[in-house]
């Protein structure tokens, strides 16, 4: 793209965005599925994408029982404690993010790895509680702006200005 093309970040390069692999259509979820989101796919065509999945980065198999957070631990529905696996995957993906100049991460809502603001409560009842996914929390501690696919849907980036997802959403600090 030309240096003055509107899809470029203010430094003249495409903005690098970490995006959950499942939101891009990769079959990495616990059930072997994916959760592609058209607005996220559209955004991915306009930015430099770093595809991330902390759960598969840890070596957890696909498929596997679902996991939820409970009492500071991550447990599979069958009772196995996978906290260390989730920590390992989060560390590996954070290392990849650190190697790239990522300013924004678009992560899967409600996930025990990637949830932002809300996660499932650990009872496998579908009940949500305030909280952060293991990876999302690490990214935020690094000062990286973390949103879910819900933010991307709500902001619907335009073809002309793909980083518009941050404008008007309280995330304008990404523009600098």
């Amino acid at each position: 793209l030309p240096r003055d093309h509107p899809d470029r970040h203010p430094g003249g390069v495409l903005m690098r965005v970490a995006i959950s692999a499942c939101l891009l259509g990769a079959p990495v979820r616990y059930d072997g599925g994916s959760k592609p989101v058209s607005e996220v796919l559209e955004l991915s065509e306009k930015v430099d994408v770093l595809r991330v999945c902390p759960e598969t980065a840890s070596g957890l198999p696909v498929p596997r029982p679902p996991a939820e957070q409970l009492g500071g631990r991550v447990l599979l529905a069958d009772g196995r404690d996978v906290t260390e696996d989730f920590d390992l995957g989060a560390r590996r993906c954070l290392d990849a993010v650190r190697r790239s100049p990522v300013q924004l991460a678009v992560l899967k809502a409600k996930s025990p790895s990637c949830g932002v603001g809300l996660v499932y409560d650990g009872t496998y009842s579908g009940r949500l509680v305030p909280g952060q996914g293991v990876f999302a929390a690490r990214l935020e501690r690094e000062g990286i702006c973390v949103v879910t696919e819900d933010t991307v849907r709500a902001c619907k980036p335009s073809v002309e200005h793909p980083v518009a997802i941050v404008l008007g959403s309280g995330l304008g600090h990404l523009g600098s």
Side-chain angles (χ1 to χ4, degrees), residues 19-24 29-30 35-37 40 55 67-69 105-120 126 128-129 131-136 146-153:
I19 301 178
S20 289
C22 64
L23 296 176
L24 297 170
R29 288 175 45 87
Y30 73 92
K35 289 286 186 174
V37 173
V40 173
E55 294 172 28
E68 293 188 6
Q69 294 183 25
V106 179
L107 304 180
K108 180 68 189 101
K110 307 172 199 166
S111 157
S113 287
C114 296
V116 178
L118 292 172
V119 294
Y120 290 107
L128 294 168
V129 295
Q132 297 293 100
V134 175
F135 179 50
V146 183
V147 299
T148 69
E149 70 275 19
D150 299 329
T151 301
V152 177
R153 272 191 198 113

Side-chain angles (χ1 to χ4, degrees), residues 4-160:
D4 62 348
H5 193 281
D7 289 348
R8 291 198 180 270
H9 188 268
V13 297
L14 286 174
M15 181 177 193
R16 181 108 185 181
V17 178
I19 301 178
S20 289
C22 64
L23 296 176
L24 297 170
V28 295
R29 288 175 45 87
Y30 73 92
D31 59 2
S34 64
K35 289 286 186 174
V37 173
S38 61
E39 293 86 354
V40 173
L41 292 168
E42 183 179 331
L43 173 66
S44 75
E45 295 172 3
K46 305 296 179 191
V47 298
D48 186 14
V49 174
L50 173 64
R51 186 180 289 232
V52 293
C53 179
E55 294 172 28
T56 58
S58 74
L60 286 169
V62 175
R64 63 187 171 274
E68 293 188 6
Q69 294 183 25
L70 181 65
R73 310 296 298 169
V74 181
L75 305 172
L76 295 180
D78 64 11
R80 283 183 283 163
D81 187 326
V82 289
T83 304
E84 289 182 20
D85 297 292
F86 274 65
D87 285 338
L88 174 62
R91 281 194 317 269
R92 286 179 173 168
C93 285
L94 181 58
D95 287 346
V97 165
R98 284 176 173 156
R99 288 189 299 270
S100 301
V102 170
Q103 292 179 287
L104 174 67
V106 179
L107 304 180
K108 180 68 189 101
K110 307 172 199 166
S111 157
S113 287
C114 296
V116 178
L118 292 172
V119 294
Y120 290 107
D121 72 354
T123 64
Y124 302 92
S125 64
R127 188 170 154 250
L128 294 168
V129 295
Q132 297 293 100
V134 175
F135 179 50
R138 285 179 185 260
L139 288 174
E140 287 187 344
R141 283 193 299 269
E142 289 284 316
I144 295 167
C145 182
V146 183
V147 299
T148 69
E149 70 275 19
D150 299 329
T151 301
V152 177
R153 272 191 198 113
C155 295
K156 188 136 183 181
S158 73
V159 173
E160 296 82 24

